[in-house]
């Protein structure tokens, strides 16, 4: 499942970095902290590797 916005893609990248141990989990905030706790590494990779071109910065919640 690809990220729907650039912000979501960036948060997934930060969460993936923490999941792999490259960044301390204490440095995460907001969505990236929740993503690190609730998603698998494979799911985070799918979100983080989404191309940003043509994606809005933020998407309104429904």
């Amino acid at each position: 499942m690809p990220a729907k916005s650039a912000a979501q893609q960036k948060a997934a990248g930060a969460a993936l970095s923490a999941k792999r141990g490259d960044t301390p989990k204490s440095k995460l905030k907001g969505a990236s902290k929740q993503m690190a706790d609730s998603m698998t590494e494979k799911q985070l990779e799918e979100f983080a590797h989404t191309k940003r071109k043509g994606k809005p910065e933020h998407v309104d919640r429904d």
Side-chain angles (χ1 to χ4, degrees):
M1 177 174 176
K4 294 184 180 185
S5 69
Q8 191 178 45
Q9 187 265 343
K10 291 175 194 175
L16 181 60
S17 176
K19 191 86 127 168
R20 289 180 174 169
D22 298 331
T23 304
K25 282 191 177 184
S26 60
K27 296 275 186 183
L28 298 180
K29 298 186 223 174
S32 58
K33 192 173 200 174
Q34 291 175 336
M35 289 173 123
D37 292 337
S38 66
M39 296 175 77
T40 66
E41 191 171 329
K42 183 171 172 45
Q43 289 172 321
L44 289 170
E45 280 181 13
E46 289 177 17
F47 271 78
H49 288 108
T50 302
K51 301 291 184 199
R52 279 191 225 168
K53 187 174 182 177
K55 298 275 186 218
E57 183 59 32
H58 292 280
V59 173
D60 292 331
R61 294 182 193 176
D62 291 333

